């Protein structure tokens, strides 16, 4: 008998009918002879609504209280799911994260899972129950409730699957899987049958918001295969795993894009030790995460330093960097919040010459100006004007033969 962990996202359990629909899917998995553990998110926009409600009472709610409040969203959906299964004549029990043995550190609102003691889950499975676990939450050593950060139910599911040594973790959501590019912008985009963990991480952090990155990382560490599929259809989803078929390895896997990019350039920076740290340390202290950083080779000991941040952080970053720029004798600071990132992702590029040339050619043929370029082992990223994103990813999708159904 295989043990399967399934996770259903907020849109899959948004109302009573959807909960009943999910219950039928859980039953179908159980009827195939599997043991089933189900992780649920809060119904629809419940988490946002609870945050709003808390802020009406107190604009700055204490994190400990807020976490208990938010954890109730998942508790509600887990109990309703158990009731739906009972109504269908199946044995099921709901457990909070704490009851399921999920132990976390004390960083409220973005707690990390330290370990899982799944004794109670195992006991309930042995009794023949379908076990429904409230996602997104765990318990600290002091028996306080802590939540795992927005979208954290994915992490609950993969962590539980690893702790229970499940055969697979299935993430059901409102998209059909991971696509070669955003299908709303590229009509030829295809659903991938499989993708490697690293490639998925690049796709996810670059804006293909199918799954929580932390959950993918956990899957990679524990070698847990993850399937992403829609709870609204029976079409096969995408499997994220480590053992991608050899022949598929040489291909680019997908084109990711991210519109949430702002660029800041400090112009005319004296080229001497300590300058970069003087600029970036205050940003780190202010919790602003800096993405791409480019420093030019200096001429006459003067250089330009450019970096990107999320658009929401742009004003704050400018207000921190401007006085520093002045004090180190830089000429000026300029920012641009109308940019986007486009990336070609694939493990194949590690050993294949010509990827970068192919990318730059495709963009130049569209008359698209590349403002910054960065690379990792499995990704090439260009920063371009946001208005050109659609043209860019369509051209790249074609240039890398992604419309062909090889994988
Ligand atoms: N309900 C939480 C959120 O909306 C956790 C989750 O959905 O995974 O962020
Ligand atoms: Mg949610």
């Amino acid at each position: 008998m295989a043990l399967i962990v399934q996770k259903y996202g907020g849109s899959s359990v948004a109302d009573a009918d959807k909960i009943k629909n999910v219950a039928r899917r859980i039953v179908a998995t159980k009827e195939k002879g599997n043991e089933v553990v189900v992780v649920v998110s809060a119904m629809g926009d419940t988490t946002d609504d609870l945050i709003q409600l808390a802020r009406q009472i107190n604009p700055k709610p204490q994190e400990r209280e807020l976490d208990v409040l938010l954890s109730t969203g998942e508790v509600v959906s887990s109990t309703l799911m158990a009731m739906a299964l009972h109504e269908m004549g199946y044995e099921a029990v709901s457990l909070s994260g704490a009851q399921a043995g999920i132990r976390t550190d004390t960083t409220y609102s973005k707690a990390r899972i330290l370990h899982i003691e799944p004794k109670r889950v195992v006991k309930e499975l042995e009794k023949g129950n379908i076990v429904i676990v409230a996602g997104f939450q765990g318990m600290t050593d002091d028996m306080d409730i802590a939540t795992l950060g927005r979208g954290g139910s994915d992490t609950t599911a993969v962590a539980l699957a690893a702790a229970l040594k499940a055969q697979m973790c299935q993430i059901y959501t409102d998209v059909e899987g991971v696509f070669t590019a955003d299908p709303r912008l590229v009509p030829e985009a295809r659903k991938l049958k499989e993708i490697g963990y690293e490639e998925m991480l690049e796709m996810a952090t670059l804006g293909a918001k199918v799954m929580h990155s932390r959950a993918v990382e956990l899957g990679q560490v524990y070698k847990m295969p993850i399937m992403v599929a829609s709870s609204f259809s029976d079409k096969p989803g995408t499997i994220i795993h480590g053992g991608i078929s050899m022949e598929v390895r040489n291909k680019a896997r997908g084109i990711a894009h991210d519109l949430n990019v702002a660029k800041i350039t400090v112009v005319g920076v004296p080229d001497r030790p300590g300058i970069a740290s003087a600029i970036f340390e205050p940003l780190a202290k202010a919790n602003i995460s800096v993405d791409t950083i480019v420093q030019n080779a200096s001429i006459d000991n003067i250089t330009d330093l450019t970096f990107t941040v999320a658009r929401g952080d742009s004003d704050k970053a400018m207000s921190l960097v401007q006085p520093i720029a002045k004090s180190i004798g830089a000429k000026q600071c300029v920012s641009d919040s109308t940019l986007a990132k486009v990336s070609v992702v694939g493990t194949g590029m590690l050993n294949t010459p010509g990827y970068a040339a192919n990318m730059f050619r495709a963009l130049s043929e569209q008359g698209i100006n590349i403002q910054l370029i960065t690379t990792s082992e499995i990704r090439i990223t260009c920063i371009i004007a946001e208005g050109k994103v659609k043209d860019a990813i369509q051209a790249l999708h074609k240039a890398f033969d992604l419309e062909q159904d090889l994988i």
Side-chain angles (χ1 to χ4, degrees), residues 9-69:
S11 52
S12 301
V13 295
D15 57 37
D17 281 341
K18 290 188 173 128
I19 289 176
K20 289 182 198 170
N21 168 54
V22 166
R24 283 191 287 274
R25 301 178 68 100
I26 296 170
V27 162
T29 309
K30 173 86 177 167
E31 284 296 335
K32 283 187 195 136
N34 299 301
E35 289 185 303
V36 193
V37 173
V38 177
V39 174
V40 284
S41 286
M43 296 170 70
D45 296 329
T46 302
T47 310
D48 291 320
D49 296 345
L50 289 172
I51 293 172
Q52 285 295 329
L53 180 60
R55 291 208 178 122
Q56 282 172 34
I57 308 274
N58 181 334
K60 278 203 159 154
Q62 268 183 19
E63 286 183 319
R64 179 189 178 280
E65 305 306 326
L66 187 62
D67 267 20
V68 179
L69 178 70

Side-chain angles (χ1 to χ4, degrees), residues 7-10 40-48 70 73-74 135-136 149-155 212:
K7 179 254 169 178
Y8 292 93
V40 284
S41 286
M43 296 170 70
D45 296 329
T46 302
T47 310
D48 291 320
L70 297 190
E74 271 68 9
F136 175 58
R150 297 307 305 271
S153 300
D154 287 347
T155 302
H212 212 211

